[in-house]
Amino acid sequence: MRRPQHHPLRCCMQKNRTDKNIHHPPPMGGLPDDLVIFILSKLSSSVSSPSDFINVLLTCKRLNRLALDRLVLSKLGARAFAVKPKNWSDSTDRFLRRCVTAGNVEACYTLGMIRFYCLQKRKSGLSLMAKAAMNSHAPALYSLAVIQFNGSGASKNDKDLRAGVALCTRASLLGHIDSLRELGYCLQDGYGARKNVAEGRRLLVEAHARELALVIREVTRSTTPSNSSMLTWLTRRLRNLACHSGSFLPLLEGYGGYSVAVQPVNWFMREWFESGRGRLGEGLRLCAHVGCGRPETRPHEFRRCSVCGKVNYCSRGCQALDWKLRHKTECSEFLPWVVVVENDGVGGVAAVVGGGNGDVVA
């Protein structure tokens, strides 16, 4: 017996009638606004990229309204502000300012760095970074310390080494590794503080140990067999640091491709200038450390390597990190004792690097 054939249009009409009878509840329907805002505020701190937050805004009108609540904006993490320079616009600036008004410390720091270094709005940028620093934001404290060490945005005579050391001290107490490393060099060299070689070296070892512990944490997140030997090697290095904390240890030579996380705003600054979105003034250079991105605000502000003369650094910490990451093998004329010059445009102050490991002694 021949089966009856159904017309395609008739099937489609029946399907549409069936779909109309299905009730589709709105997103988070039935939940009060206060509860939805509370949920969004808890999730906002774990946002991994700006697109994650934008997707929430585009879901529906209700979530768009509730996601822009002050409580939600105040909890957004640094990755939510990891915007690309090519996407920077007035709307991006307005969104960051809205987050600043909501009390978001990360937004204060991010917008402050962008304004100070990229947009050359020194006063407002410095004010925003200071606001973040007053809320115990460690990267903001360290950035202000670098500005004090270099006299950024002003003249060389405006350097305040003691203020830089004080800011590094406060940030290091909050667990900031770069500040701890910088403070160790300051004490070791007597730069802005009374010279204390033993204490300076102890702080450097502690900074290396904390940095290595962070790398181990990243490796342990992946349980693939290829990481087992790396994890064993890293654990031995960490134990070695712990056992010899009273003696000087050289900088760690690298972690097999792993590196400590860099602030998104540092990537933004480097890409801002390298992509051509922002232009450096005549005679101005970027810090050579790939994870920094800070530009000079006046000619000859940063230190340069007097051996190759090709790299410049905004701080001792950046110089040490770049040395172990790449410059040790790139320096054109490697010598057992390297001289680094703090160039002031006239003659510069020579500084000796001991043992050929690239550690600057100011």
Side-chain angles (χ1 to χ4, degrees):
M1 183 176 179
R2 186 177 180 182
R3 300 178 61 182
Q5 294 182 353
H6 299 286
H7 196 278
L9 181 60
R10 182 180 179 183
C11 295
C12 182
M13 293 175 64
Q14 290 177 348
K15 182 178 180 182
N16 290 337
R17 285 197 297 267
T18 305
D19 292 342
K20 289 179 181 179
N21 295 330
I22 298 176
H23 176 67
H24 297 283
M28 296 189 178
L31 295 180
D33 286 355
D34 291 344
L35 182 56
V36 176
I37 290 174
F38 176 78
I39 295 172
L40 291 175
S41 66
K42 292 297 183 181
L43 296 175
S44 61
S45 60
S46 60
V47 169
S48 60
S49 66
S51 61
D52 288 349
F53 187 71
I54 293 174
N55 289 335
V56 174
L57 297 178
L58 297 177
T59 301
C60 65
K61 291 183 179 180
R62 187 190 183 203
L63 282 183
N64 183 287
R65 174 175 56 85
L66 298 180
L68 294 176
D69 185 84
R70 288 177 60 93
L71 179 61
V72 178
L73 295 180
S74 67
K75 300 296 184 179
L76 284 172
R79 292 183 179 179
F81 308 123
V83 62
K84 297 291 185 181
K86 63 180 181 180
N87 297 327
W88 180 261
S89 62
D90 292 338
S91 60
T92 309
D93 184 79
R94 286 194 299 270
F95 175 73
L96 281 171
R97 283 191 280 114
R98 186 168 183 173
C99 293
V100 169
T101 305
N104 191 299
V105 181
E106 286 290 350
C108 288
Y109 172 64
T110 300
L111 186 57
M113 291 283 283
I114 292 174
R115 285 190 173 183
F116 186 87
Y117 286 109
C118 299
L119 305 180
Q120 299 183 15
K121 298 179 179 179
R122 313 290 189 201
K123 187 175 180 180
S124 61
L126 201 61
S127 176
L128 287 169
M129 282 188 278
K131 185 177 180 179
M134 287 188 292
N135 285 276
S136 298
H137 189 270
L141 288 165
Y142 176 69
S143 293
L144 290 176
V146 173
I147 290 174
Q148 294 293 338
F149 283 136
N150 294 313
S152 300
S155 66
K156 182 183 177 182
N157 296 329
D158 292 314
K159 292 181 180 181
D160 192 338
L161 304 184
R162 291 184 178 273
V165 171
L167 289 166
C168 276
T169 302
R170 184 178 174 186
S172 65
L173 294 176
L174 296 172
H176 194 249
I177 297 175
D178 290 338
S179 298
L180 186 63
R181 181 186 294 109
E182 197 72 28
L183 182 60
Y185 282 123
C186 288
L187 292 176
Q188 179 180 274
D189 308 333
Y191 190 71
R194 181 176 296 180
K195 189 171 184 178
N196 189 334
V197 177
E199 180 65 13
R201 291 176 175 177
R202 187 190 68 80
L203 293 179
L204 288 175
V205 171
E206 183 178 347
H208 304 335
R210 291 189 182 185
E211 189 175 46
L212 185 56
L214 286 178
V215 177
I216 291 177
R217 188 184 306 170
E218 292 295 325
V219 175
T220 53
R221 289 180 180 178
S222 176
T223 57
T224 57
S226 60
N227 285 332
S228 59
S229 59
M230 174 59 66
L231 181 59
T232 303
W233 179 81
L234 289 171
T235 306
R236 288 177 181 174
R237 294 299 294 268
L238 184 59
R239 289 175 180 173
N240 187 43
L241 283 170
C243 294
H244 299 82
S245 58
S247 61
F248 176 75
L249 291 178
L251 289 173
L252 300 178
E253 295 299 331
Y255 315 119
Y258 292 91
S259 60
V260 178
V262 177
Q263 287 287 326
V265 70
N266 292 96
W267 292 120
F268 178 93
M269 293 191 300
R270 177 165 293 280
E271 189 176 345
W272 175 271
F273 292 105
E274 290 183 346
S275 65
R277 182 69 190 269
R279 294 187 177 181
L280 291 170
E282 185 178 356
L284 302 183
R285 301 154 298 186
L286 287 176
C287 178
H289 176 40
V290 67
C292 178
R294 290 180 177 85
E296 290 181 318
T297 60
R298 66 175 187 278
H300 310 294
E301 178 182 339
F302 294 164
R303 298 176 178 184
R304 64 178 175 84
C305 176
S306 65
V307 177
C308 65
K310 297 179 181 179
V311 292
N312 312 274
Y313 302 104
C314 68
S315 64
R316 286 290 310 277
C318 282
Q319 193 277 338
L321 288 172
D322 189 60
W323 178 262
K324 69 179 180 180
L325 287 175
R326 64 186 182 92
H327 191 54
K328 183 176 181 179
T329 58
E330 292 180 357
C331 196
S332 59
E333 297 178 27
F334 178 73
L335 298 174
W337 292 85
V338 182
V339 177
V340 175
V341 173
E342 183 179 354
N343 194 334
D344 58 1
V346 181
V349 179
V352 180
V353 178
N357 61 2
D359 299 343
V360 181
V361 181

